[in-house]
């Protein structure tokens, strides 16, 4: 086995394997919209994907072993490319998009796929198993795929051996204290509904400074919380920043938890949120979740999923959660890197995986002319158009300016 083509499964990754059992599929999904339909190279889609995995072996990753012996090994099938003609999906919600629910089995693979939906616009969905990689890894896959279509050398990336847990050990951080369920939801009380999630997308034209802290403040100001509740926002942070020159498709994203209710009353709340996040990053707090959940390596995922489902149902009934929302900002992206083979990207957004116990997972991405907001929410909190109105209010708040 080549160096960098295997790694140990961490406790944090087993948390995502548990999420796959709770509400499948638990996958990263990057959606590109643009002009033209990409054509396969002369050796076909399999030829393109062969070059992708030669540069980035992790996209053949499969789960081996059990409990604490589990490893990701790059010996699975090639990623697949599926072309679905005559799709009626509008790219704004899950309606008419059954392909978004297709599983990517962790043990059998394939670990990822690219779905091409010809039309006006053409949409291309890059999907992969979240237990194996993160949003940055998803973009590495997309860049490699389009590089092969342009006839360029795809960027190289290792699959291991460094894991998020290994990186946290190198950083020497202490484990965080896992929060209790005392966070208020963003959309009010949950209504009776099927146990599951949904999502919607909303675009905001324009460019905005301090985008993430402004969105955190807008969300917090719209929440009615009980006196015993907090407003806790979770910010994913890429830990690759701690290892110069590391290009890896491993799951290397940590979490920073911000007590936004303590910051929103500041005379300059946007600056207060921004500075609190910067201090947390300076203290490498995003890595502290890794040692805190290391015990999950030895907990069967079926049992963990049973516990999680019960906890999520209780949180929805009580209106109290571990976190108010996750805000994941993938940044302003260069769409030229996601174009090729006759396809020119014009828009990009990310559908967050979410879970039935998390009030909101907000995916944020931008381009030269605007920002894409895509929110995933439990069905019981999204009733009566609440999710759509929430995203529209965030967009309106950005346009008005946040103070």
């Amino acid at each position: 086995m080549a160096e960098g083509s295997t790694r140990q499964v961490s406790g944090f990754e087993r948390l995502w394997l548990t999420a796959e059992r709770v509400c499948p599929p638990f996958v990263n999904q990057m959606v590109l919209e643009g002009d033209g339909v990409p054509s396969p190279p002369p050796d076909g889609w399999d030829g393109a994907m062969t070059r992708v995995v030669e540069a980035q072996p992790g996209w053949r990753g499969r789960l081996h072993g059990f409990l604490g012996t589990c490893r990701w090994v790059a010996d699975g099938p090639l990623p697949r490319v599926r072309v679905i003609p005559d799709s009626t999906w509008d790219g704004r919600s899950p309606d008419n998009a059954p392909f978004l629910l297709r599983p990517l089995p962790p043990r059998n693979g394939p670990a990822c796929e690219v779905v091409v939906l010809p039309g006006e616009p053409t949409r291309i969905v890059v999907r992969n198993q979240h237990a194996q990689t993160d949003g940055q890894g998803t973009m590495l896959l997309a860049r490699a795929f389009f590089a092969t279509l342009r006839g360029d050398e795809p960027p190289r990336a290792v699959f291991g051996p460094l894991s998020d847990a290994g990186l946290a050990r190198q950083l020497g951080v202490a484990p965080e204290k896992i929060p209790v369920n005392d966070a208020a939801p963003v959309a009010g009380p949950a209504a009776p509904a099927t146990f599951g999630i949904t999502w919607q997308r909303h675009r905001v034209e324009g460019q905005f400074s301090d985008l993430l802290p402004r969105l955190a403040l807008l969300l917090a100001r719209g929440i009615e919380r009980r006196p015993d509740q907090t407003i806790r926002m979770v910010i994913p942070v890429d830990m690759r920043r701690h290892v110069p020159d590391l290009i890896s498709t491993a799951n290397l994203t940590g979490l920073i938890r911000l007590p936004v209710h303590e910051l929103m009353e500041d005379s300059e709340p946007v600056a207060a949120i921004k500075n609190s996040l910067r201090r947390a990053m300076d203290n490498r707090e995003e890595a502290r979740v890794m040692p805190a959940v290391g015990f999950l390596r030895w907990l069967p995922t079926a049992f963990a999923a049973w516990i999680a489902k019960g906890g999520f149902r209780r949180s929805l009934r009580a209106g109290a959660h571990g976190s108010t929302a996750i805000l994941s900002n993938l940044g302003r992206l260069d769409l030229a890197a996601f174009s090729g083979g006759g396809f020119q990207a014009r828009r990009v957004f990310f559908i967050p995986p979410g879970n039935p116990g998390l009030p909101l997972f907000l995916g944020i991405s931008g381009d030269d002319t605007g920002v894409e907001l895509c929110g995933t929410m439990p069905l019981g909190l999204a009733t009566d158009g609440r999710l759509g109105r929430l995203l529209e209010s965030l967009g309106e708040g950005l346009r008005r300016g946040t103070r």
Side-chain angles (χ1 to χ4, degrees), residues 337-371:
F338 306 115
S339 302
F343 173 78
Q344 177 63 53
R346 304 295 183 192
R347 302 279 187 268
V348 58
F349 66 97
F350 295 79
I351 305 172
N355 70 59
L358 174 65
L360 177 69
F361 193 153
L362 184 66
I364 309 159
S365 59
D367 52 53
D368 289 340
T369 62
V371 172

Side-chain angles (χ1 to χ4, degrees), residues 170-189:
Q170 290 182 14
L171 296 175
V173 296
E176 70 170 0
K177 183 179 179 181
I178 299 298
V180 298
N181 288 345
D182 61 355
V186 295

Side-chain angles (χ1 to χ4, degrees), residues 17 23 32 48 60 70 87 95 129 160 163 212 237-238 240 248 267 278 285 295 328 333 380:
L17 288 171
C23 191
L32 299 154
R60 292 184 59 216
C70 280
S87 170
D95 296 344
Q129 174 57 245
S163 67
L212 193 146
V237 174
D238 182 12
R240 292 168 181 81
S248 172
S267 59
R278 183 185 295 117
E285 289 186 16
F295 70 95
S328 179
L333 304 181

